[in-house]
Amino acid sequence: MSVIKQALLIYKRLNAPPPPENSILLRVLVSGSVLSGVLGIAFERGFSISFSFLALFGILVGNLVSWLRRRKNNWQIKLILSFLLFIAFSNYLRELSTYFYDPRYPLARLFILILVLHSFDLPARRDLLFSLASSLILVGTSGALSISLKFIPFFLSFIIFSAFYLLFDQVSTIGLEVDNIFLKYKKVFFPFGLFSILLITLLSLLIFPFIPRSSGWRVRNFPFKEAEERLIPNFGGGVVNPAYPYSLGKEFSPFNPQSYFGFNPYLNLNYRGKLSEEVALIVKTDEPSYYRGLVFDLYDGKGWESSDKTPKEISTSFQPFSIPLEEISSYYRTSQVIQTFFIIKEQPNVIFAAYQPESLYFSALSIWKDKFSSLRSPFTLPEDMVYTVISLAPRWSAGELKRFKGETLVDQRYLQLPSNFPQRVKDLAKKITLPYSNSFDKILAIENYLKKNYRYNLEIEPSPPKSDVVDYFLFEKKEGYCEHFASALTLMCRAVGIPARLVTGYTEGYLNPFTGYYEIKISDAHAWTEIYFPGFGWLTFDPTPGFEAPQAISSKKSFLVSYWQYIKKQIKKIPIFASLQRKLIFSLATLKRLASNLSFSPSRGYWISFLTFFIFLSGYFWVKREKAKRKKAIAPSDKIGLYFKNICEELDALGFKRKDWETPSEFAKIVNKEKKLNEFFDFVKFFERDRFSPNRLEAKEIKEAEICYQAIKEKLKFLKAK
């Protein structure tokens, strides 16, 4: 029994309380910073609502307990917290087995549990600083988990709380009472703090686009979200779009702006309507692409359908799915393109991917693949689902493609034309391509002809019942939407002996420069043409005016251009005066033109980064040198005031708090009477002479005061241990 008592005594001595932090304001600011981080992750659905509520409640209760028991040893609480910490870590290991491919969520939950437990033991300033640093990690985590700008309000609130904390922490280091100073000068602190935050935000917006960034993933286990149990029929590889009833086949069903009619077994070219501008998907990728959904190869004069009615099932017990490549795929140059899809709006059971998919991280035991490398899910894709695809993108140059004259050994279905296909469409295709001898130039000639001579319009009338839709588009209406343009290119290529097929899916969307993700709206659903080149596989061509297939673009769009375009769009949404809005947009357009003329290669970006770091480092050492100069200029006796403040904090931890009405001498007499601390009484004499006498202390007296201070510190250590 005596051994246990001795162990507890040693434990108490090791955990002797440091000087307590008495400022309520500093504790409130730290709590606000921590809560900002927790709420940021909660709003990104990093964990359940119940967990979020318990974490917030635990942090608030913990901070209250820490305040009330700041002068206590609290060794019992620390023992309980140690035991609970072990339980939290065990729970983390259990969750890690469930989230094996994406451990960020278990790590975030573990970190928050640690902060909840730590909030019950925050007696001193150093503990508050630990919590503040931890809240910075939480805010960074919420930014990493975020696929939108939802975390921005929590980031700004963190900036406000932490900035005011650092400000008042500096105030306290010069011996001033933080709470009293705040109450006295709050009318000054608020405008100054908010102005500083606004200035930092504006400077950050200007500096942000010049920060070098690497593209692509740097991990090999890619994220996908585990699906919950779903009692949904196995579709057997068929296409199911909840917005368009499957049983209607080629017949019309009411147009639904929340879903694209191209994600159906049959693509009816007489559908009309504008799709919603809501975000449907968010994609993280190292290279933007067109994301294929369905492929159509049979045209009947009114629309398209697929000849493959029996997709093959692919099963796996371990992630990822290995996707067999298409029989006539590329065997020249390819490179990996990684895409992670975040489903924002429910999608049909089509698994979107850049051509052509090689591996798939997807929460199912089975999927289906047709002959065109299109993938199907056993269920419609619900909101919040996440999956990752690795594709092999073909690489080509115009010179390489120009070697092909059109003689290809490919399935004849890619040259299929209806028996009653209008002759004038064939004649037009031959007329456009007559000057050219190779397939690539012929394709570009047809594509350019369609873009220059036909207008993009979503509000045209349906074609007459007995007419061929493409013929009516080319010779009568001369305007249409992407399905008409893609159909025309596909059929005109077939008419001159070039294998082609029609594809529906999504364009690459728009880059959000703050998240680094591409936001794809429902209205970004699109149709385009894939054309076969021996050795390169199926390549994407887009004849619709205003669209450009990604691999046809000579170089990637500058990040600066994307950044200013995004800012410009956001400004347009702000309800401000039209004249001011025009001026802002004109300024951004000028910056965009400058940005487009700048070429920021990675090496140049790193040089800019190095130069920025060098300037920052030089500024840091300059400030440090100036502080040292000022320190030398200040009389050495000024340190006496700081020594007195430190002693009072140490005595406060032992239960001797100086009253507001007590003079230093009166306080020293009380302490000396209770603890026989004669050195403190002697030190106070030096302190009062330094503060209240017209003459400053001499060097000899300052040295004696420092000796007293060191002796007091030693005695206080002994008293704490005792």
Side-chain angles (χ1 to χ4, degrees):
M1 197 68 178
S2 58
V3 175
I4 296 175
K5 286 183 178 180
Q6 193 68 27
L8 287 174
L9 182 62
I10 295 172
Y11 180 82
K12 290 179 184 178
R13 289 178 180 175
L14 291 174
N15 288 277
E21 178 54 61
N22 295 313
S23 172
I24 296 176
L25 177 63
L26 291 179
R27 291 178 178 273
V28 169
L29 293 173
V30 169
S31 299
S33 301
V34 174
L35 293 177
S36 299
V38 174
L39 287 170
I41 296 178
F43 270 75
E44 291 304 327
R45 301 179 184 180
F47 31 74
S48 64
I49 296 175
S50 58
F51 181 88
S52 306
F53 175 78
L54 289 174
L56 295 172
F57 181 74
I59 289 171
L60 292 173
V61 172
N63 276 274
L64 180 60
V65 171
S66 294
W67 161 254
L68 295 174
R69 297 184 60 84
R70 63 190 183 280
R71 293 189 179 89
K72 307 292 183 183
N73 190 284
N74 296 325
W75 65 271
Q76 303 95 331
I77 293 178
K78 292 178 181 179
L79 280 177
I80 296 171
L81 294 180
S82 301
F83 176 73
L84 293 176
L85 186 62
F86 175 77
I87 295 176
F89 185 70
S90 302
N91 183 65
Y92 162 72
L93 295 177
R94 181 182 59 80
E95 286 188 341
L96 199 59
S97 62
T98 305
Y99 291 83
F100 181 76
Y101 291 95
D102 191 6
R104 295 175 300 169
Y105 294 98
L107 278 171
R109 279 191 283 272
L110 174 64
F111 194 67
I112 286 175
L113 287 174
I114 291 173
L115 278 179
V116 171
L117 297 177
H118 184 251
S119 66
F120 285 85
D121 187 31
L122 300 173
R125 179 75 58 87
R126 66 186 183 191
D127 302 299
L128 295 179
L129 285 172
F130 174 83
S131 290
L132 186 67
S134 302
S135 64
L136 175 61
I137 297 173
L138 280 180
V139 171
T141 303
S142 69
L145 293 176
S146 178
I147 57 174
S148 65
L149 297 181
K150 290 180 182 177
F151 77 98
I152 290 294
F154 305 104
F155 173 72
L156 292 177
S157 66
F158 165 78
I159 291 293
I160 293 170
F161 283 120
S162 58
F164 275 109
Y165 175 87
L166 294 175
L167 174 64
F168 287 113
D169 179 70
Q170 184 65 26
V171 167
S172 70
T173 58
I174 60 176
L176 300 175
E177 290 289 339
V178 172
D179 295 5
N180 294 336
I181 291 294
F182 172 73
L183 293 174
K184 187 175 181 180
Y185 298 103
K186 59 184 178 182
K187 292 183 179 180
V188 176
F189 281 124
F190 276 118
F192 172 75
L194 293 176
F195 171 77
S196 301
I197 292 165
L198 181 62
L199 181 63
I200 291 170
T201 303
L202 292 175
L203 289 175
S204 300
L205 288 173
L206 291 173
I207 295 170
F208 177 77
F210 296 96
I211 298 174
R213 51 190 49 79
S214 59
S215 64
W217 287 94
R218 294 292 178 265
V219 295
R220 300 306 302 171
N221 284 332
F222 301 107
F224 68 98
K225 192 168 184 177
E226 297 287 350
E228 300 171 358
E229 287 293 328
R230 297 185 178 90
L231 300 176
I232 295 180
N234 186 319
F235 300 135
V239 178
V240 176
N241 188 340
Y244 298 93
Y246 185 79
S247 59
L248 291 177
K250 297 183 181 182
E251 300 299 321
F252 274 109
S253 60
F255 175 78
N256 189 333
Q258 296 298 318
S259 183
Y260 178 42
F261 55 83
F263 302 145
N264 278 307
Y266 182 77
L267 175 59
N268 194 320
L269 295 179
N270 277 316
Y271 257 113
R272 299 292 184 273
K274 286 188 176 181
L275 293 169
S276 169
E277 294 294 316
E278 296 179 71
V279 174
L281 307 170
I282 291 179
V283 181
K284 177 179 175 61
T285 181
D286 47 5
E287 181 178 316
S289 308
Y290 276 14
Y291 303 111
R292 302 163 86 246
L294 299 177
V295 177
F296 302 93
D297 60 334
L298 297 179
Y299 176 72
D300 62 5
K302 300 295 181 185
W304 292 85
E305 63 182 323
S306 170
S307 63
D308 188 359
K309 307 297 183 184
T310 56
K312 292 182 180 179
E313 185 176 3
I314 303 173
S315 301
T316 187
S317 299
F318 301 97
Q319 297 292 330
F321 285 90
S322 181
I323 312 298
L325 299 181
E326 198 172 358
E327 293 177 3
I328 48 175
S329 58
S330 173
Y331 54 82
Y332 278 10
R333 298 191 313 277
T334 60
S335 61
Q336 279 193 347
V337 177
I338 302 164
Q339 319 117 61
T340 295
F341 292 83
F342 301 84
I343 307 300
I344 306 302
K345 293 287 184 182
E346 184 183 12
Q347 299 294 312
N349 69 321
V350 176
I351 301 173
F352 301 98
Y355 185 77
Q356 72 175 321
E358 175 193 34
S359 300
L360 171 68
Y361 293 81
F362 191 83
S363 182
L365 297 177
S366 297
I367 61 169
W368 283 263
K369 170 186 171 292
D370 63 17
K371 293 178 182 178
F372 317 113
S373 286
S374 296
L375 306 178
R376 316 272 198 277
S377 164
F379 45 79
T380 57
L381 308 187
E383 293 181 11
D384 294 334
M385 187 175 186
V386 181
Y387 68 90
T388 297
V389 185
I390 302 176
S391 302
L392 290 178
R395 300 302 180 197
W396 51 271
S397 67
E400 292 170 325
L401 298 185
K402 286 181 179 181
R403 295 201 303 264
F404 300 100
K405 309 299 180 183
E407 316 85 13
T408 58
L409 298 174
V410 71
D411 197 312
Q412 289 300 305
R413 68 175 178 266
Y414 299 119
L415 297 172
Q416 172 265 345
L417 293 171
S419 57
N420 60 346
F421 190 65
Q423 182 62 38
R424 61 178 179 173
V425 178
K426 298 179 185 179
D427 294 340
L428 178 62
K430 291 174 183 177
K431 179 183 176 181
I432 295 170
T433 59
L434 185 62
Y436 306 99
S437 59
N438 63 77
S439 297
F440 183 68
D441 284 337
K442 290 180 180 180
I443 296 163
L444 292 185
I446 298 173
E447 185 180 289
N448 291 331
Y449 179 84
L450 292 171
K451 287 185 174 181
K452 290 179 181 177
N453 295 285
Y454 297 87
R455 193 167 72 92
Y456 182 76
N457 186 1
L458 291 171
E459 299 177 347
I460 61 172
E461 297 283 334
S463 59
K466 293 184 179 181
S467 66
D468 182 281
V469 175
V470 172
D471 177 80
Y472 182 77
F473 163 70
L474 289 172
F475 295 99
E476 305 297 333
K477 199 66 179 174
K478 296 191 177 183
E479 59 181 0
Y481 40 87
C482 60
E483 292 79 15
H484 296 135
F485 286 91
S487 297
L489 176 61
T490 303
L491 296 172
M492 292 171 78
C493 284
R494 289 183 176 188
V496 294
I498 301 173
R501 62 195 188 189
L502 187 137
V503 183
T504 59
Y506 285 106
T507 62
E508 72 270 30
Y510 298 90
L511 175 66
N512 183 329
F514 295 100
T515 63
Y517 292 177
Y518 288 84
E519 297 176 356
I520 300 175
K521 296 179 288 189
I522 298 173
S523 59
D524 289 323
H526 193 53
W528 61 91
T529 301
E530 285 185 346
I531 298 175
Y532 180 70
F533 285 86
F536 291 92
W538 293 93
L539 305 182
T540 299
F541 292 86
D542 192 343
T544 305
F547 291 83
E548 207 70 49
Q551 61 261 49
I553 298 173
S554 58
S555 61
K556 286 186 178 181
K557 185 187 290 185
S558 165
F559 177 82
L560 286 170
V561 174
S562 299
Y563 179 76
W564 296 120
Q565 282 179 340
Y566 185 86
I567 296 294
K568 182 179 175 181
K569 285 180 182 178
Q570 302 309 310
I571 288 176
K572 285 183 177 180
K573 297 178 183 178
I574 302 173
I576 56 176
F577 295 109
S579 59
L580 177 59
Q581 190 174 3
R582 284 196 298 270
K583 289 177 182 178
L584 286 170
I585 291 175
F586 175 78
S587 302
L588 288 170
T590 305
L591 288 171
K592 177 188 169 184
R593 285 194 295 272
L594 289 172
S596 62
N597 294 327
L598 293 174
S599 174
F600 283 95
S601 63
S603 59
R604 183 176 296 184
Y606 289 120
W607 274 110
I608 293 172
S609 179
F610 174 77
L611 183 61
T612 304
F613 176 74
F614 177 77
I615 294 171
F616 171 79
L617 201 63
S618 302
Y620 170 77
F621 282 114
W622 181 81
V623 171
K624 193 172 181 181
R625 188 185 69 176
E626 290 299 312
K627 282 186 176 180
K629 285 182 179 179
R630 287 197 300 268
K631 189 174 180 181
K632 287 180 180 178
I634 295 173
S637 62
D638 286 351
K639 293 186 292 185
I640 303 299
L642 291 177
Y643 290 159
F644 180 75
K645 177 179 176 293
N646 293 339
I647 295 170
C648 289
E649 287 179 350
E650 297 281 349
L651 290 169
D652 192 8
L654 292 172
F656 290 91
K657 182 173 177 60
R658 182 188 168 198
K659 305 297 187 302
D660 293 338
W661 61 84
E662 288 178 339
T663 65
S665 294
E666 291 172 343
F667 181 54
K669 287 179 182 178
I670 295 171
V671 173
N672 189 35
K673 182 178 179 181
E674 295 290 335
K675 295 296 182 182
K676 304 299 182 185
L677 204 61
N678 296 323
E679 292 84 357
F680 182 49
F681 192 75
D682 296 334
F683 179 84
V684 166
K685 291 179 180 177
F686 289 112
F687 173 74
E688 288 181 335
R689 281 183 56 199
D690 180 67
R691 282 297 172 92
F692 307 116
S693 172
N695 300 320
R696 308 291 287 181
L697 293 177
E698 296 179 1
K700 182 180 178 182
E701 292 173 314
I702 292 173
K703 189 173 182 181
E704 290 177 4
E706 289 178 343
I707 293 172
C708 285
Y709 175 66
Q710 295 300 327
I712 294 166
K713 284 180 63 177
E714 291 298 322
K715 280 199 174 183
L716 289 175
K717 283 183 182 179
F718 174 76
L719 291 173
K720 279 187 179 181
K722 187 177 178 182

